[in-house]
């Protein structure tokens, strides 16, 4: 067993957390990195499935696929292949590297699920890590980018259970080439790796060698920095998860709701991380969530007013009272948080229950003598309306309301705004009326004209109730 194989035996089990008896799906392009990975894992006795994705980017692409297939056959391993139109994705704003990745990884994880693999293994190595961290630094990344790649990571955008592992992440390109030479491996050469029109290649062939004239140990130092930041990132992620649990009010397939006052108690750095985490959960893999987008949302959330803020990629932030929502459109937001009434006015007799939307209902009952006064906005005592009966409706243009505690009537629209009733809930918020006059706004306020005093001859209890089974 070679020194690299001995190192990888420990690294794959302790760092990548791989089980020796469970299968691994290995992504193999035919280049030196993936060929070294395949050969070494096979030598260590792992059960393997060889996967190759043909991007059709080079004239030699089909030959690469045939080469990998032959290597798999020589090792006695199962081989699977896929292909995709990278050029088509480039036309939608992706770089070549992004488009290739967007096609390749769904294929790899689909095959991993099919073969019940414990992980997808790819050939990223230490020099790739240096390039990645430097590239992120030049693009103005935060800690998430500067920490670099992880040797083991879950990527829910592709699979929430099967990890992506990088067994060669602590191994240099020079060590990989030496391994291939020592074992008689003849990797395929990709001429595009020398093309300095690509940003990563310019880093590899020009910038990094130049930086090494300032510090010959530049690569080593940058790798150590990435490892340090990765550990710091783990601490921050723990804090972020705790803050997320405290802030999260509700989550659905197309929306997330966070409690705004709780969100505002956290430091700026955690607020940024919470927003990024929310966007990532709502739209996994969404590109271009840059610093400016996050700052725009933070400024909007600090204005303490209702409204909508565009984030990026059709994601919007909706502020409603003490909550803010992340969703693509207002129609995705649930409306069952509030009582809502349908259609025309409906009668509410004493001793009856009126069903509203989403499990809400209104009840009217006679108040027994010596009953305790109700507490809370969902319960109200009102003076019995004499010979008239109650009805329940939504608001109408020109509605006015005389709230208990105020000197006179006000526009209903203004009152609902001041009470921070969400805009999309106002039109169908139930109003308990006698004739055209509003007696009670359930969950908000009773009318001063129907208040109960010591001389009130008959009292009706109105209750807003929500069924627990929704």
């Amino acid at each position: 067993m070679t020194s690299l194989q001995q190192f990888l035996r420990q690294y794959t089990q302790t760092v990548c957390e791989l089980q020796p008896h469970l299968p691994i799906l290995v992504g193999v392009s035919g280049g030196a990195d993936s060929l070294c990975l395949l050969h070494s894992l096979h030598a260590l006795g792992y059960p393997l499935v060889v996967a190759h994705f043909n991007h059709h980017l080079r004239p030699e692409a089909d030959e690469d696929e045939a080469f990998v297939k032959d290597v798999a056959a020589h090792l006695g391993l199962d081989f699977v292949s896929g292909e995709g139109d990278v050029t088509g994705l480039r036309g939608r704003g992706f770089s070549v590297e992004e488009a290739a990745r967007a096609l390749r990884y769904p294929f790899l994880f689909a095959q991993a699920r099919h073969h019940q693999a414990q992980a997808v293994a790819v050939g990223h190595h230490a020099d790739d890590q240096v390039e990645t961290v430097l590239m992120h630094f030049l693009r103005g990344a935060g800690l998430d980018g500067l920490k670099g790649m992880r040797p083991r990571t879950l990527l829910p955008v592709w699979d929430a259970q099967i990890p992506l592992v990088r067994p060669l992440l602590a191994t240099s390109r020079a060590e990989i080439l030496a391994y291939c030479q020592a074992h008689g491996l003849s990797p395929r050469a990709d001429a595009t790796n020398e093309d300095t029109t690509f940003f990563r290649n310019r880093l590899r062939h020009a910038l990094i060698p130049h930086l090494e004239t300032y510090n010959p140990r530049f690569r080593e130092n940058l790798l150590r920095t990435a490892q340090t930041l990765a550990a710091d990132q783990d601490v921050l992620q723990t804090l972020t998860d705790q803050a997320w649990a405290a802030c999260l009010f509700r989550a659905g397939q197309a929306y997330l709701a966070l409690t705004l006052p709780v969100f505002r108690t956290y430091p700026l750095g955690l607020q940024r991380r919470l927003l990024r985490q929310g966007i990532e959960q709502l739209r996994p893999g969404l590109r271009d969530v840059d610093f400016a987008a996050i700052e725009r949302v933070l400024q909007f959330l600090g204005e303490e007013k209702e409204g909508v803020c565009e984030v990026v990629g059709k994601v919007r932030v909706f502020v409603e009272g003490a909550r803010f929502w992340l969703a693509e459109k207002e129609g995705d937001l649930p409306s069952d948080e509030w009582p809502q009434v349908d259609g025309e006015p409906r009668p509410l007799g004493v001793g009856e229950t009126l069903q509203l939307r989403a499990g809400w209902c209104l009840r009217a009952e006679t108040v027994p003598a010596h009953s305790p006064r109700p507490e809370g906005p969902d319960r109200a005592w009102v003076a019995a309306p004499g010979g008239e009966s109650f009805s329940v409706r939504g608001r109408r243009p020109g509605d006015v309301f005389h709230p208990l505690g105020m000197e006179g009537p006000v526009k209903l629209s203004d009152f609902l705004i001041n009470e921070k009733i969400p805009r999309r809930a106002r039109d169908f918020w139930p109003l308990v009326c006698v004739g055209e006059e509003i007696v009670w706004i359930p969950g908000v306020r009773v009318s001063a004209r129907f208040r109960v005093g010591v001389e009130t001859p008959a009292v009706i209890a109105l209750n807003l109730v929500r069924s627990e089974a929704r």
Side-chain angles (χ1 to χ4, degrees), residues 109 113 117-119 152-156 158-164:
F109 279 95
R113 288 189 292 272
Q118 63 172 313
R152 177 187 174 96
T153 186
L154 279 173
L155 301 168
W158 293 310
D159 196 282
Q161 284 81 41
I162 300 174
L164 179 73

Side-chain angles (χ1 to χ4, degrees), residues 113-141:
R113 288 189 292 272
H114 177 73
H115 289 87
Q116 297 182 327
Q118 63 172 313
V120 172
V122 292
H124 296 133
H125 50 71
D127 291 271
D128 289 328
Q129 181 79 304
V130 170
E131 294 163 9
T132 297
V133 173
L134 183 57
M135 182 167 59
H136 287 168
F137 173 77
L138 293 174
R139 288 175 173 170

Side-chain angles (χ1 to χ4, degrees), residues 11-254:
Y11 192 86
T12 53
Q13 294 183 26
T14 60
V15 180
C16 296
E17 303 177 27
L18 297 176
Q19 302 297 317
H21 61 285
L22 297 178
I24 303 169
L25 186 117
V26 187
V28 182
S29 66
D33 312 333
S34 59
L35 204 58
C36 170
L37 175 64
L38 175 64
H39 188 275
S40 58
L41 291 179
H42 182 259
L44 292 174
Y46 284 101
L48 306 174
V49 176
V50 181
H52 176 85
F53 191 83
N54 190 336
H55 302 96
H56 295 292
L57 287 173
R58 302 185 301 116
E60 305 88 354
D62 292 340
E63 296 175 14
D64 293 341
E65 181 178 338
F67 170 78
V68 176
K69 184 177 182 179
D70 289 343
V71 170
H74 178 72
L75 296 176
L77 302 174
D78 289 339
F79 171 80
V80 293
S81 64
E83 60 182 352
D85 181 14
V86 174
T87 304
L89 271 185
R90 285 188 66 192
R92 289 160 51 187
F94 288 80
S95 69
V96 173
E97 188 177 56
E98 289 170 336
R101 177 182 173 89
L103 293 172
R104 180 172 66 252
Y105 278 98
F107 161 75
L108 293 176
F109 279 95
Q111 291 298 321
R113 288 189 292 272
H114 177 73
H115 289 87
Q116 297 182 327
Q118 63 172 313
V120 172
V122 292
H124 296 133
H125 50 71
D127 291 271
D128 289 328
Q129 181 79 304
V130 170
E131 294 163 9
T132 297
V133 173
L134 183 57
M135 182 167 59
H136 287 168
F137 173 77
L138 293 174
R139 288 175 173 170
L143 188 58
D144 284 343
L146 297 179
K147 76 181 188 305
M149 298 177 284
R150 294 295 186 99
R152 177 187 174 96
T153 186
L154 279 173
L155 301 168
V157 65
W158 293 310
D159 196 282
Q161 284 81 41
I162 300 174
L164 179 73
V165 296
R166 301 177 173 96
L168 297 178
L169 200 57
T171 303
S172 70
R173 182 180 288 112
E175 291 174 296
I176 290 170
L177 294 176
Y179 182 95
C180 290
Q181 185 176 12
H183 291 84
L185 305 178
S186 301
R188 298 285 294 175
D190 184 353
T192 61
N193 288 332
E194 307 300 319
D195 186 353
T196 55
T197 59
F198 293 108
F199 184 43
R200 181 180 287 270
N201 289 346
R202 290 203 302 278
L203 297 183
R204 180 182 306 160
H205 298 296
L207 182 56
I208 292 175
H210 181 67
L211 291 172
E212 287 177 319
T213 65
Y214 288 86
N215 185 347
R217 302 180 66 180
F218 169 76
R219 296 171 194 256
E220 177 186 340
N221 291 343
L222 194 59
L223 287 172
R224 186 167 58 247
T225 297
Q227 291 171 352
T228 301
L229 293 179
D232 293 344
Q233 160 73 5
D234 290 339
V235 175
L236 283 175
Q237 189 57 50
T238 298
L239 295 175
T240 303
D241 290 341
Q242 293 171 353
W244 181 261
C247 285
L248 185 63
F249 172 76
R250 188 171 178 182
Q253 186 175 358

